[in-house]
Amino acid sequence: MTSRTPFLIIVFALIVAGISSIYYRHVEMGVPLTAGEQIDIWQIEAEIEFTGKNEPVNAKLTLPKDPKFELVDEFTASPAYGVHVFREEDKSEVVWSKRQVQGKQTLYYQASYKHTLNPVKEPAPADEVVAELWSEPYQSSAQTLLNSAIEKSGNQQFLVLQILNVIKSDDQNVALLLSKYSKTEIFVQLMQMAKIPAMMVRGLVLEDSRRNQQLIPLLKVYINNDWQMFDVENGELGDELPILVWQQDSPSLLDVVGGRNSKILFSISHSTQSALQEANSSATEGDFFDFGLYHLPIDEQNLFKGILLLPIGALVVVFLRVLIGLKCSGTFMPILIATSFIQTELVNGVVGFLLIVSIGLIIRSYLSHLNLLLVSRISAVVIVVIGIIVLFTVIAFRMGLTEALTITFFPMIIMAWTIERMSILWEEEGGKEVLIQGGGSLIVAVIAYLMMDNYLIRHWAFNFLGVHALIMAAILLMGQYTGYRLLELRRFKPLAED
Amino acid sequence: MFDFVSPFKLRERGIMGMNQRNFSYIGRYNDRALYPNVDDKLKTKNLAIESGISVPDLLGVVRFQYEVNRVFDILNEHSGFCIKPAKGSGGKGILVILKTDENGYMKASGEYVPREEVVRHITNILAGLFSLGGAADVAVIEALIQFDPTFKGLSHEGVPDIRVIIFQGYPMMAMLRLATHASDGKANLHQGAVGVGIDIATGKAKRAVQFDRPITHHPDTGKSFADVAIGNWDRMLTLAAGCYEMSGLKYLGADIVLDKEKGPLVLELNARPGLAIQIANGMGMLPRLKHLESLDHRRTASIEDRVAYAKTHFND
């Protein structure tokens, strides 16, 4: 007996490869586990306007760097400008430049963003917070506010909430501070005085069909080991609208050298896209787990969608024969019948199959009287099958039964062989055996069809090639199964009784 | 419909299932290259003659279409014979002509067929209708078996045969297969033939089943199976055990018939014998297979020793 170790290693390797490929495709590339999944895509357009002063222009727009969002694609429209997009570790920006600019100018930057699948957690602030002191009497007022807030709160979380409340109230100290600073500035100052890391950022509220929007000032506060955002000016941040943080740390959003009256406005529109389509279009060329399947022409892709269902059918056949013990004629004939069922739909398929086989059997029984040699007889049956299909299609069309037209999808050679085999079986073992084996084949074909036609299984078979490694492993393991088949438990029952 | 038995109970009784047969015995013990020795009946016959295994006489071989009419010359000499495809399986394509008279050619069932029917049958064999995968085949013409009177009243319209399973050269389990009206003269149990379990030690019947259920009398002739005993049992076992050397297959089924004059003859060998023999014997094969696997096979015991070993260890 040969060692089982290499076999088990192969099976194990297949399982590992299958699962890791599925994991990679789903988690890293974002291929959804279910076919219909949609993802949100936010399309943001920044419109920059300025007036040229008849001199060289360098317009620099800081681009968003929000770990919660991922850039899908970007696009700039700006006639006769040289455009460069710089992306570096700590900042990214787009720069337009032109030698001579005169009059009113409009530049566009358009980008689509989607939510990142696995947002990287932003790092904790590195340095100890040191508050810069404000001039008097503002510093004293701030200190008074902070002291009373600390008094009324137990921990950092409540302190932040308390300060938020205070800033909104009509406290005298607040009124004094507001005469010089904005709410956001006051808040940052109080946070820093309380040694809580906080910073001002500017972000864009993502709401569908919004035009002429501006970045709003927001506060990012590091509490409970996480950065939290607050909108101090307008009260609480609603959870329903996502916010894209655009500007953080960088001194300016827009920097136009050689122009004046520059301003920037944003428009936002929302769309959904099939998550599958998005994942595949963002897959890099030559991705290892892809084997370039998605870069094939659509026709070939559709062909593969069919071919990649065959392993599912094979799995069903192996399962039904090795584990259940169902009898069917021909090992893989049922899979081919099942693939034609996919084209014809189940009821049409079964009816068509029964029609072709039964009429074929009648004609074949006549052919057997002609004493033909085997090869010519099967060829004759092939032609008869084609004849039956043509006849039915024409009759069905005349009668207006368009469903019956799908009968043409049956593989004719396979049908001819099926008829031949059934006919021999009939002659030798009688009609009963034909019913048992033909029925068995039909049951296997129907079960294989139901599996292969399943929406989810089709999605998995094509989009997660790792599934096929798992099927292979399962088939190999079943090939070593030496236990009883289900139907044997019935067959051998008398032996266990007496 | 859902009348199942626990697999543990079957395992406990040593019943071998199809998967285990295919994987653990046929796949492991039978060398693929040796299959033609049993799958091609002409080759089997030649091997048997070389190794001194008794087989029905070979009357002729039809290899080509133009030779078909030769069978009628043979028929003139012998009156009756049996036409088989060399590569047929499961008893398919066997035509038995008992005698020739003015009505035509009489089949085993007593039905007469015209000359054209005989020609057509041979043509079908040559075209490969009965062979696995439809490969071109040859027709083998064999002498008829003269029924041994022991089996009188036991078989309906067919030749009774004895299936012996031989593992590593040791005859291990046996059953007598009797055709019935339900089986249409065929000896296949799934078609309704009766299987009678035979005690390896004595050659006596143990129990009988039809359609997997125990019976005591033949459904057509009404004869009791209780006192069936196969004559010349030692000769039968020796013949079966010799099939191991002849075919080289370690897991093997031999179909043996009892001829009135010539004694036991090997009719056919099978590299994939079925599992119904367990039902006929009312016991599983695994204990005996395991027992034989545990023996030391480095030096092959003589046929006589193997038969003697089987008779002492496999008595019921």
Side-chain angles (χ1 to χ4, degrees), chain B residues 7-286:
Chain B
F8 302 105
K9 212 161 178 181
L10 289 184
R11 180 73 68 202
E12 196 185 297
R13 297 267 172 128
I15 315 292
M16 181 156 79
M18 203 54 106
N19 291 329
Q20 193 169 16
R21 183 201 73 163
N22 292 343
F23 184 79
S24 306
Y25 290 95
I26 296 180
R28 196 181 298 162
Y29 286 102
N30 286 354
D31 185 351
R32 272 256 147 219
L34 298 173
Y35 275 40
N37 291 353
V38 298
D39 284 347
D40 183 336
K41 290 194 185 65
L42 196 57
K43 195 166 181 186
T44 311
K45 205 169 258 301
N46 290 331
L47 274 176
I49 293 165
E50 277 172 35
S51 3
I53 301 280
S54 324
V55 286
D57 287 339
L58 178 65
L59 302 182
V61 180
V62 179
R63 290 184 209 285
F64 304 104
Q65 192 64 38
Y66 66 83
E67 294 178 326
V68 169
N69 283 320
R70 266 189 52 203
V71 295
F72 297 103
D73 303 336
I74 300 168
L75 210 46
N76 288 337
E77 283 171 46
H78 295 275
S79 164
F81 58 43
C82 172
I83 305 169
K84 292 176 173 178
K87 292 173 192 158
S89 68
K92 281 178 189 167
I94 298 177
L95 177 67
V96 179
I97 301 295
L98 287 185
K99 61 173 184 182
T100 318
D101 56 28
E102 60 278 11
N103 295 323
Y105 302 90
M106 195 179 89
K107 293 206 288 188
S109 60
E111 186 193 338
Y112 282 94
V113 293
R115 188 187 163 103
E116 297 82 72
E117 175 71 27
V118 178
V119 172
R120 190 162 85 87
H121 189 82
I122 298 172
T123 309
N124 275 341
I125 290 176
L126 295 183
L129 180 59
F130 305 105
S131 64
L132 290 165
D137 205 351
V138 300
V140 176
I141 299 159
E142 267 182 5
L144 278 185
I145 308 296
Q146 305 299 317
F147 275 87
D148 191 286
T150 325
F151 298 124
K152 202 167 166 48
L154 279 179
S155 196
H156 182 83
E157 296 175 0
V159 189
D161 71 3
I162 294 138
R163 158 69 56 94
V164 184
I165 305 282
I166 302 125
F167 182 57
Q168 311 257 46
Y170 294 80
M172 189 195 77
M173 202 176 260
M175 74 167 160
L176 175 65
R177 298 191 300 184
L178 304 168
T180 62
H181 179 68
S183 77
D184 195 23
K186 296 195 175 81
N188 290 327
L189 261 57
H190 76 270
Q191 289 170 326
V194 172
V196 183
I198 303 287
D199 186 347
I200 286 282
T202 61
K204 292 201 174 96
K206 295 195 291 186
R207 70 204 281 277
V209 291
Q210 188 188 24
F211 291 119
D212 298 349
R213 295 293 180 267
I215 53 166
T216 54
H217 295 78
H218 194 285
D220 303 317
T221 63
K223 197 164 176 198
S224 165
F225 299 121
D227 40 76
V228 168
I230 294 167
N232 230 341
W233 182 239
D234 280 9
R235 172 90 191 86
M236 186 87 74
L237 287 181
T238 311
L239 190 66
C243 292
Y244 165 66
E245 272 89 359
M246 169 198 145
S247 67
L249 292 168
K250 289 182 181 160
Y251 182 78
L252 180 71
D255 294 346
I256 300 171
V257 288
L258 216 47
D259 188 273
K260 191 163 62 181
E261 287 158 14
K262 296 178 182 160
L265 302 174
V266 172
L267 205 57
E268 208 175 306
L269 295 180
N270 201 323
R272 316 161 191 84
L275 300 173
I277 196 168
Q278 300 182 111
I279 301 173
N281 277 273
M283 60 188 290
M285 284 201 262
L286 286 174

Side-chain angles (χ1 to χ4, degrees), chain A residues 154-214:
Chain A
N155 56 21
Q156 281 197 340
Q157 176 87 38
F158 281 101
L159 178 63
V160 173
L161 293 175
Q162 187 60 38
I163 292 175
L164 276 173
N165 279 334
V166 168
I167 292 175
K168 271 186 270 171
S169 70
D170 41 11
D171 186 290
Q172 281 185 357
N173 288 309
V174 176
L176 173 70
L177 290 171
L178 279 174
S179 64
K180 187 171 179 193
Y181 302 102
S182 73
K183 280 184 180 171
T184 310
E185 284 168 313
I186 301 167
F187 191 85
V188 173
Q189 180 69 6
L190 291 179
M191 286 290 107
Q192 287 180 343
M193 284 161 64
K195 304 277 185 234
I196 298 173
M199 64 168 115
M200 199 172 95
V201 298
R202 305 220 294 156
L204 196 60
V205 180
L206 299 178
E207 192 176 358
D208 191 21
S209 318
R210 281 312 187 108
R211 301 188 51 78
N212 300 331
Q213 297 294 297
Q214 291 199 318

